[in-house]
Amino acid sequence: MPQLQQSTVRNRVLRAMAPEDFARLAPHLEPIALQLREVVIGPDAPVDDLFFLESGMVSISTAHDERRVEVGLIGREGLVGAVPVALDCLSTPHVYFVQLSGEAFSIGRAALCAALDESPILRRLLLRYVHTLIVQITQTAYAHASLSLEGRLARWLVMCHDRSDSDELVLTHEFLSMMLGVQRAGVTLAIQNLEGAGRIRAKRRRIEVLDRDRLLALTNGSYGTPEAEYARLIEGA
């Protein structure tokens, strides 16, 4: 099998690596398919494998099944499992599950940690990514505390839009209510209000983004800081 080439991958962390660091990881990267709602890292379970997403999205959420709330979102800009592994933790209390099916490269914890031990530059890059994810999580906490449901939904849709190849997002009201930590009726009303204002178009199991700028206007500063940190620390490195 020919060796994976850095120029062919879509994951932005892999693309941001120094060529010699990518070469360290390439023999250990295994292409896999991620299925909708698949749990890739369970709560309090050993983090044995990590995932560089090429497409699709993975949610980081609280582990309470009766009131699960999303606290973080990872797409092809990131590495699923980076926080517990980079910070030398064996596990995490959160659950990481597939929100939108897609493709990824998996890598074993041992192989990644060996590469981090060999390359301080690679370790710095991964820690910088961890920082941007922590900033995203703090902005999510701010959004939950200060925004209306419509504002929180608008922020979440823009974040999903960033990680999608289309203006049309595959989402159900049930899933949205779980991710936003509210009743389904509240999500339905918020969607209707956003649609009535011409910001989105709701379809069965899908939401189409019509006016991204007007969605951003509802986020009240809760969107943009993590994205700017990512551009500065990862893509500007």
Side-chain angles (χ1 to χ4, degrees), residues 37-74:
R37 308 237 174 153
E38 176 184 357
V39 173
V40 292
I41 297 177
D44 303 316
V47 181
D48 294 326
D49 296 293
L50 300 90
F51 307 88
F52 290 99
L53 298 190
E54 290 280 283
S55 61
M57 288 177 277
V58 167
S59 287
I60 309 171
S61 80
T62 58
H64 308 292
D65 289 336
E66 70 281 2
R67 188 70 183 227
R68 184 178 289 180
V69 179
E70 183 181 81
V71 296
L73 181 64
I74 302 171

Side-chain angles (χ1 to χ4, degrees), residues 102-194:
E103 306 293 326
F105 291 109
S106 68
I107 185 169
R109 179 191 184 110
L112 179 62
C113 288
L116 295 176
D117 289 341
E118 293 171 1
S119 173
I121 293 174
L122 179 59
R123 182 177 294 276
R124 182 180 68 176
L125 177 68
L126 190 56
L127 288 173
R128 285 183 169 192
Y129 168 66
V130 167
H131 165 76
T132 67
L133 187 54
I134 291 172
V135 173
Q136 183 202 122
I137 291 169
T138 61
Q139 291 298 100
T140 297
Y142 164 70
H144 278 284
S146 64
L147 297 186
S148 67
L149 179 54
E150 285 178 35
R152 288 158 55 195
L153 176 58
R155 174 181 180 266
W156 196 78
L157 290 173
V158 170
M159 290 174 64
C160 290
H161 190 235
D162 286 344
R163 294 160 174 84
S164 175
D165 294 321
S166 170
D167 290 335
E168 194 169 271
L169 309 173
V170 181
L171 303 165
T172 66
H173 292 203
E174 178 185 9
F175 189 82
L176 286 168
S177 67
M178 180 175 67
M179 289 298 91
L180 295 172
V182 297
Q183 297 296 320
R184 181 172 174 173
V187 169
T188 299
L189 180 59
I191 288 173
Q192 289 173 348
N193 289 340
L194 293 181

